[in-house]
Amino acid sequence: MKLACFCAILLSSSLIASAQDIQIQALPQTVSYGENDLVIVCSISNPSQLSSVFFIQLLRNSSTTFETVVSVTTGQPATIQWKDSALQSRATAIGNLDSPSTAQLRLTINKASVLCPTDFKMYMCKMSGLTTASDVVPKETSPITISYTVKPTLIEKPSVRILNEGYDTLDRQFPVETSIQLTCQGEVGSDQTKTIRWCAQRANEMMFTGLPQTPIHSEASPSGCQFTRSSTITYNLTNDDIFTKFLCESGDTGLCGTGTAIRYVNISITEESSTINISTANGESQTNATTTSKGTYNILAIFYFNNDFIKYI
């Protein structure tokens, strides 16, 4: 029971932090990078205990400490003061101190201007005000960490190699019963447990379906705001693979082809052929028969009659 209560406290503090008179909140609570604006709001949580507010500050952690990003101070109207000029060039801040019940400071970074991982750090708010008992009170919140998700966008074209060979091949046609290995490497998003999936579509099929083969996944490696990894499958070519289209993808919603990062490779089987020469006993006629791995026959027959000939195909 104690453990459950402790977890609940941690969860709530990550979403909104308060120090009796001031609170900080991120909107949304988890930012989808590239899709959501990043909004951080400092506001008064217990306005009935205050008669006025002097200033509100928003701070962000640097390598060693928290530094003020922007603040709102008393004035007619209230004044926005920037301390981070680099952030000021790509963000907006509004605020007011008209009354404790409406006092707030709001920072907004447009989704097109959010930098990852630069903006996804720890933030906190500070304020100073006058209580109803005429006491000056400085307050600050506990820090919150801005959580985020990132969808993968980059994935390499699948590489191909014959099983047990130590090098990739540019060939895309192989004999039936050849075992090939397909490898894809790319982003999997901000969740390191995500993987790359494989699907295939044969010539007579209307849509892609997931492959039953179990892929071999590499360990996830951090790369900027997300993770990258590779995925390899082994596939045995059959007579059904006249022309088979493979895809590797990440960021999918469960159905093949719904990934945010997708690449394709086309594989087909070769038609191995052999020629049979057939001659009559007296040498007056000859037949060349060509067979393919699909079991079809192309027959060329040439008949000779008194130095003339008739060709039959």
Side-chain angles (χ1 to χ4, degrees):
M1 179 62 71
K2 290 182 179 179
L3 178 60
C5 292
F6 179 68
C7 292
I9 293 172
L10 284 180
L11 177 61
S12 62
S13 65
S14 66
L15 303 180
I16 182 170
S18 173
Q20 184 179 0
D21 292 323
I22 188 169
Q23 64 183 9
I24 182 172
Q25 189 173 13
L27 303 171
Q29 295 170 352
T30 298
V31 177
S32 180
Y33 178 57
E35 298 181 6
N36 300 136
D37 296 344
L38 172 55
V39 181
I40 304 173
V41 180
C42 302
S43 59
I44 304 303
S45 57
N46 196 9
S48 62
Q49 301 299 313
L50 298 173
S51 60
S52 62
V53 179
F54 302 143
F55 69 80
I56 299 176
Q57 295 176 329
L58 175 64
L59 301 88
R60 181 166 71 177
N61 73 312
S62 61
S63 56
T64 58
T65 185
F66 281 84
E67 297 179 350
T68 301
V69 173
V70 65
S71 62
V72 56
T73 58
T74 54
Q76 293 297 328
T79 304
I80 298 294
Q81 296 181 340
W82 283 93
K83 297 295 185 181
D84 189 330
S85 57
L87 181 58
Q88 180 182 3
S89 65
R90 55 187 180 87
T92 60
I94 58 174
N96 80 80
L97 302 174
D98 295 343
S99 69
S101 60
T102 62
Q104 70 166 226
L105 175 62
R106 177 182 293 255
L107 172 74
T108 302
I109 308 176
N110 184 273
K111 62 184 178 183
S113 299
V114 174
L115 299 182
C116 187
T118 301
D119 294 327
F120 298 112
K121 294 185 176 181
M122 298 179 69
Y123 293 81
M124 62 183 296
C125 293
K126 286 185 178 182
M127 61 83 65
S128 178
L130 193 67
T131 68
T132 53
S134 298
D135 296 324
V136 176
V137 290
K139 294 288 184 178
E140 64 181 40
T141 66
S142 299
I144 64 168
T145 300
I146 307 300
S147 59
Y148 64 94
T149 60
V150 182
K151 293 181 179 180
T153 57
L154 298 177
I155 196 167
E156 296 179 1
K157 189 177 181 67
S159 62
V160 182
R161 71 172 53 184
I162 298 174
L163 183 64
N164 296 325
E165 289 190 354
Y167 54 88
D168 295 340
T169 177
L170 296 178
D171 293 339
R172 296 297 181 261
Q173 287 187 319
F174 304 93
V176 174
E177 298 183 357
T178 301
S179 295
I180 58 174
Q181 284 186 324
L182 304 177
T183 299
C184 243
Q185 182 168 340
E187 298 172 342
V188 294
S190 52
D191 184 351
Q192 62 180 331
T193 65
K194 297 297 184 180
T195 58
I196 295 172
R197 70 172 298 175
W198 291 90
C199 301
Q201 181 185 22
R202 295 181 177 86
N204 60 343
E205 296 175 340
M206 297 297 294
M207 58 189 300
F208 282 92
T209 56
L211 289 174
Q213 289 84 349
T214 301
I216 299 174
H217 301 293
S218 69
E219 292 293 327
S221 301
S223 177
C225 277
Q226 55 181 308
F227 292 87
T228 62
R229 71 189 328 154
S230 65
S231 178
T232 300
I233 61 165
T234 299
Y235 186 88
N236 299 316
L237 294 170
T238 70
N239 286 319
D240 294 329
D241 295 303
I242 299 171
F243 181 86
T244 301
K245 193 172 187 177
F246 296 87
L247 72 78
C248 59
E249 64 179 341
S250 57
D252 61 276
T253 60
L255 296 176
C256 288
T258 59
T260 55
I262 305 178
R263 294 300 295 269
Y264 301 88
V265 64
N266 301 326
I267 301 294
S268 59
I269 55 174
T270 57
E271 297 183 6
E272 296 181 337
S273 62
S274 59
T275 300
I276 303 173
N277 296 320
I278 304 174
S279 301
T280 61
N282 58 14
E284 292 181 350
S285 65
Q286 182 176 349
T287 301
N288 295 324
T290 302
T291 66
T292 71
S293 60
K294 293 183 181 179
T296 60
Y297 295 87
N298 300 316
I299 300 177
L300 173 63
I302 302 176
F303 301 94
Y304 297 89
F305 298 96
N306 298 324
N307 296 325
D308 294 324
F309 70 87
I310 300 175
K311 180 169 68 172
Y312 172 76
I313 298 178

